[in-house]
Amino acid sequence: LMIVGEEKVQGMIAFKHIRNQYYTHVNIVEAAPWNIGKNGQYIGVGAHLFAIACKHSWDAGNEGYVQFTAKTNLIEHYKTTLHANLIDQKNMYIDSYGAIELIHKYFKEGDWYDSNWKKTYCKNKKLCIIDSRDFENKTKENLFLIFKENNK
């Protein structure tokens, strides 16, 4: 996730479509260290990343369903901000209704993504996504190293 016209990465997400079960699985999602918490430079980066996953889930025929493993201390936050539901103690999902809420909040109609799947524009904030397939099996520590390298 980047601000249009800037090279600084604001957040990253890696996900894959589980086509035979009709959902999209988020492997990892991380806001850049300077965007974490209420005092972050940009608020809502994480939710915007989940909105991107929901939109791609919808486009892949998964009706917006997104599944992820929550960090325990963020479960209530995810219920409120992402409209997510618990599957068990740590696994959560966003259903079609929650996906629509996120998509409408973070995207304006017609600006969902370009044909090369490289940029997505956010309503008001003008944030964009870079292709996250390169980051699929990275750990949080690896992603923070990537943030550091890309933002020198």
Side-chain angles (χ1 to χ4, degrees):
L1 196 58
M2 301 171 73
I3 297 173
V4 173
E6 293 185 19
E7 297 296 317
K8 192 174 187 179
V9 177
Q10 302 297 331
M12 293 186 212
I13 187 168
F15 54 85
K16 61 184 172 187
H17 302 299
I18 312 297
R19 298 194 190 281
N20 63 341
Q21 295 182 27
Y22 300 103
Y23 74 94
T24 297
H25 174 76
V26 172
N27 297 68
I28 188 167
V29 60
E30 291 293 339
W34 54 87
N35 287 326
I36 295 174
K38 293 179 181 176
N39 296 321
Q41 182 179 359
Y42 293 101
I43 296 172
V45 171
H48 187 136
L49 293 167
F50 275 100
I52 291 166
C54 289
K55 177 64 180 102
H56 283 279
S57 171
W58 204 279
D59 291 341
N62 294 335
E63 297 183 2
Y65 276 79
V66 170
Q67 184 271 334
F68 60 98
T69 301
K71 297 171 185 170
T72 308
N73 60 330
L74 294 175
I75 289 174
E76 291 304 316
H77 175 70
Y78 292 149
K79 286 181 180 179
T80 304
T81 59
L82 304 178
H83 312 284
N85 303 292
L86 275 170
I87 296 171
D88 55 30
Q89 289 181 339
K90 290 186 88 173
N91 291 303
M92 301 187 82
Y93 73 95
I94 301 168
D95 64 15
S96 296
Y97 298 105
I100 290 169
E101 291 289 325
L102 288 171
I103 291 166
H104 284 283
K105 181 175 181 178
Y106 288 94
F107 298 95
K108 62 182 182 180
E109 198 169 330
D111 280 345
W112 287 349
Y113 63 92
D114 72 10
S115 59
N116 294 320
W117 201 63
K118 298 288 182 186
K119 293 182 180 177
T120 304
Y121 298 96
C122 173
K123 188 190 239 180
N124 302 327
K125 290 190 174 56
K126 299 213 184 267
L127 297 171
C128 63
I129 187 171
I130 57 175
D131 192 330
S132 64
R133 290 174 284 191
D134 297 334
F135 307 110
E136 186 167 336
N137 292 310
K138 303 290 189 226
T139 64
K140 180 177 179 176
E141 291 75 25
N142 291 131
L143 287 181
F144 284 149
L145 287 173
I146 293 168
F147 284 130
K148 201 173 187 179
E149 289 170 14
N150 286 329
N151 294 308
K152 288 181 179 177

